[in-house]
Amino acid sequence: FFFFSATRAASRLAASAMGLSPAPKRRLVDADTTTHAEPPPTPLSPMAPMCRASWGSFTNLLQHCANAKAAGHSGSDHNLPTDTEQALKRFDAACEHLVKELKKRVVVPTEAAFFEEEYTYARLRGCVFVGHVNTDLDSIAGAVGAAELFGGVACRSEDGLNGEITHALEVAGLEAPPLFDTTPGAGVAAADGSRLSVCLVDHNEPKQMVASLRDDPQRAKRIVGLIDHHALAEGFSSAGPLTIDVRPWGSMSSIVAHLYVRLSAKMRPAVARLLMCAILSDTLNLQSVTTTDADRFAVALLAKQGGVESPDSVARQMFRHKTRWIVGLGPYQMARGDQKDFSVDGWKFGISVLEVTDTSPVLAIADQLLLELRILKKEKGKGDVKQQLDFAFLFVVDVVQQRSKLLVCGGREYALASAAFPGCGFTVAKEGLKAPGTTVRADQTLCHVGPLVSRKAQFVPAFSHVLAEGFSCHRTRVTDPQYAQGKSGEALDKVLAAGQAKVQYAGPGLKRNMSRANLALYEQSTSENAA
């Protein structure tokens, strides 16, 4: 029924766009052929979203968004520049100059590059470069880039690769590196019985090492190098001095890119594209709090070297390929992976999108996602309230059913969503959920927006149309001198300022310490209601 109704609605919209008159609506006829008017459309709800009575609501909703888009409220009309776009603009001239200089230095290296290559990094020549288990893109790209730089062998620690990695390899035009366990000289002895030295990339904890290396009695002797951006683990040790390059940057691939520059080494465009993809992945398109200027500069430089016109578009495509896997990485990355900001009439709103084949794993952690959306609004300001977002939304798109659900993290979001998606029902996002603040109820945290699935063509136009028509609610714009947030917002500010909700690397992803932030958001609403 849904496919038929959505198709019929789309056909009407297409006919309208071409200036044609749509076919008249079919009238309901009973057994004695008496004609009756159609009943009013049933509001969209999770209980009966596919029923025949909802066809009118589906059509109205699609028409509502189409009208908003036709009025000039498409996604591209109200885009705010992304972090990646800002980085490209900021470092464009410097990168252009550096690319020209690097071409000269490859032919005539600097004295410093000679010293570094001949003595500092000499031990890494011919090594096996391998990343961690629970393989991510940074560990693959870093191994490939470093192996090519030092004439070594790149290996992966596991057989299965997530969709983001395979997509990035396609973008780069490279094959996946071989398995460590089956590569002669790496996990198994070479024909002459020897084994190669190893340089770890993107990890140093023994429990994250590929099992055959971790359990190798000669491990401490075989490991001669480390390139990483994580803290050194207590269990990491070696039999002798190592060549170590550990930096507090957002991606290990940024370090590898820096090494190419430092050593005046030529980088193939394919390797540049892969390293760029890895940095975009690890920093969530340069939006993560772990992102540094070194990462931003590296993306701008690698994009030029790899011939990539829009790294931002590449990052979004990677995230879509990664979505199934990222659900297991946690709310921090889920809320930021495919996220864009927009501005209409002084109001700023962010829209995150998760495209999944099953929405239940996402909604199972709805409480954490709502909290991340509230924090995301604040972190966008980078310490300046006026730079924060007024609204933050997360649409969970079911790509099988072609339907979406909208997570509503606060009172402002509820006010805007109610106006933008008329006729759509609201329910509690997760059973037992407390209200995420004092101006929204728990049963207003999930909006069922039915057949809307496109950020650019439907979500943004719907919000933009309302905001452009003089929208107001219980809060003013964050840029207004009179702006004042509620109790839950103030409580969250205190937690963030005290460093009690830090983001850290945990396994293959980024995780936030949520305990104090949870109390700040959800207990405020509980105490307010009790009062």
Side-chain angles (χ1 to χ4, degrees):
F1 280 128
F2 167 70
F3 176 80
F4 176 74
S5 62
T7 302
R8 187 175 74 169
S11 298
R12 286 178 178 164
L13 293 180
S16 176
M18 292 185 291
L20 302 176
S21 299
K25 292 184 179 179
R26 185 176 61 176
R27 303 176 71 83
L28 301 181
V29 182
D30 63 18
D32 63 3
T33 70
T34 302
T35 302
H36 300 281
E38 284 189 347
T42 300
L44 301 180
S45 75
M47 303 306 296
M50 308 289 190
C51 70
R52 188 180 202 147
S54 293
W55 286 355
S57 290
F58 281 135
T59 304
N60 292 342
L61 189 58
L62 288 166
Q63 186 67 59
H64 175 75
C65 292
N67 291 342
K69 183 180 179 183
H73 297 298
S74 68
S76 57
D77 292 329
H78 303 292
N79 276 346
L80 288 175
T82 67
D83 293 75
T84 299
E85 289 168 341
Q86 291 180 57
L88 293 180
K89 182 178 180 180
R90 176 183 172 189
F91 297 116
D92 181 71
C95 289
E96 189 71 36
H97 173 75
L98 184 54
V99 168
K100 293 178 181 178
E101 285 298 311
L102 287 174
K103 291 179 180 178
K104 300 176 185 176
R105 293 183 191 178
V106 168
V107 179
V108 184
T110 64
E111 294 82 355
F114 168 78
F115 193 92
E116 293 278 328
E117 184 174 353
E118 288 298 314
Y119 305 112
T120 306
Y121 293 98
R123 296 185 68 192
L124 300 186
R125 291 179 189 158
C127 281
V128 174
F129 294 83
V130 63
H132 51 75
V133 295
N134 294 321
T135 306
D136 65 5
L137 180 53
D138 202 28
S139 67
I140 292 289
V144 171
E148 180 148 325
L149 177 61
F150 296 111
V153 179
C155 287
R156 68 182 193 271
S157 59
E158 296 171 315
D159 195 15
L161 299 177
N162 68 59
E164 180 190 51
I165 297 174
T166 56
H167 179 71
L169 288 168
E170 290 176 4
V171 169
L174 295 170
E175 297 291 329
L179 274 171
F180 182 89
D181 286 342
T182 59
T183 299
V188 294
D192 60 0
S194 65
R195 291 179 185 264
L196 297 171
S197 297
V198 174
C199 177
L200 301 178
V201 297
D202 203 32
H203 73 297
N204 61 81
E205 289 192 24
K207 66 181 181 181
Q208 293 184 346
M209 296 178 188
V210 60
S212 57
L213 176 62
R214 183 183 65 237
D215 300 333
D216 187 344
Q218 300 299 313
R219 181 188 81 193
K221 293 182 178 179
R222 289 188 67 192
I223 296 176
V224 299
L226 169 66
I227 305 173
D228 198 5
H229 65 133
H230 301 99
L232 289 176
E234 291 183 0
F236 180 70
S237 62
S238 62
L242 303 179
T243 299
I244 296 180
D245 199 333
V246 176
R247 300 169 188 248
W249 294 354
S251 169
M252 185 271 301
S253 290
S254 296
I255 303 174
V256 175
H258 174 260
L259 287 174
Y260 273 86
V261 176
R262 190 172 173 180
L263 298 174
S264 299
K266 183 177 181 180
M267 182 187 297
R268 289 193 294 141
V271 174
R273 290 192 292 271
L274 187 62
L275 291 173
M276 181 202 73
C277 286
I279 300 169
L280 292 172
S281 172
D282 246 29
T283 63
L284 302 179
N285 202 11
L286 300 182
Q287 294 185 95
S288 168
V289 294
T290 60
T291 307
T292 67
D293 273 350
D295 304 297
R296 298 181 182 98
F297 186 86
V299 166
L301 177 62
L302 293 167
K304 283 192 178 294
Q305 291 178 305
V308 179
E309 184 175 342
S310 177
D312 194 64
S313 298
V314 172
R316 297 187 192 290
Q317 285 299 320
M318 287 196 305
F319 184 80
R320 292 189 179 100
H321 284 81
K322 181 183 181 180
T323 298
R324 289 186 188 179
W325 183 68
I326 205 171
V327 168
L329 291 184
Y332 182 84
Q333 288 173 270
M334 291 166 70
R336 290 165 174 78
D338 187 1
Q339 194 272 342
K340 295 191 73 172
D341 299 330
F342 307 87
S343 178
V344 178
D345 194 28
W347 295 98
K348 291 175 291 184
F349 62 99
I351 297 179
S352 303
V353 175
L354 274 175
E355 294 181 340
V356 296
T357 56
D358 180 9
T359 61
S360 55
V362 178
L363 298 182
I365 58 169
D367 53 334
Q368 299 175 56
L369 286 168
L370 294 172
L371 174 57
E372 278 297 345
L373 289 173
R374 291 293 293 266
I375 295 176
L376 173 64
K377 289 198 293 184
K378 296 179 176 297
E379 289 184 340
K380 283 285 183 174
K382 299 176 182 176
D384 183 353
V385 173
K386 293 184 177 181
Q387 297 302 316
Q388 293 178 5
L389 295 177
D390 294 286
F391 314 90
F393 297 99
L394 171 58
F395 286 87
V396 186
V397 179
D398 186 326
V399 296
V400 177
Q401 298 291 332
Q402 284 293 288
R403 298 171 53 77
S404 300
K405 297 178 181 180
L406 169 62
L407 283 172
V408 179
C409 69
R412 277 176 281 180
E413 284 75 12
Y414 174 71
L416 180 55
S418 299
F421 304 112
C424 293
F426 288 80
T427 60
V428 63
K430 175 184 176 182
E431 186 175 354
L433 177 74
K434 296 178 181 179
T438 58
T439 58
V440 64
R441 301 195 309 266
D443 62 1
Q444 296 171 333
T445 53
L446 189 67
C447 180
H448 302 265
V449 298
L452 306 184
V453 295
S454 169
R455 174 168 48 201
K456 181 178 180 179
Q458 295 168 327
F459 305 154
V460 174
F463 288 137
S464 300
H465 180 69
V466 173
L467 293 173
E469 294 296 316
F471 172 83
S472 64
C473 65
H474 59 287
R475 301 271 184 245
T476 61
R477 299 169 179 82
V478 293
T479 54
D480 192 313
Q482 306 304 317
Y483 171 73
Q485 59 183 340
K487 291 184 178 180
S488 56
E490 291 175 351
L492 273 178
D493 274 344
K494 292 178 181 178
V495 171
L496 295 171
Q500 296 172 332
K502 290 184 177 180
V503 177
Q504 297 178 322
Y505 287 97
L510 293 163
K511 304 290 174 66
R512 185 189 297 280
N513 182 346
M514 303 284 270
S515 57
R516 297 301 295 272
N518 265 315
L519 289 173
L521 181 63
Y522 292 109
E523 293 307 317
Q524 287 292 328
S525 62
T526 302
S527 60
E528 181 85 358
N529 292 334

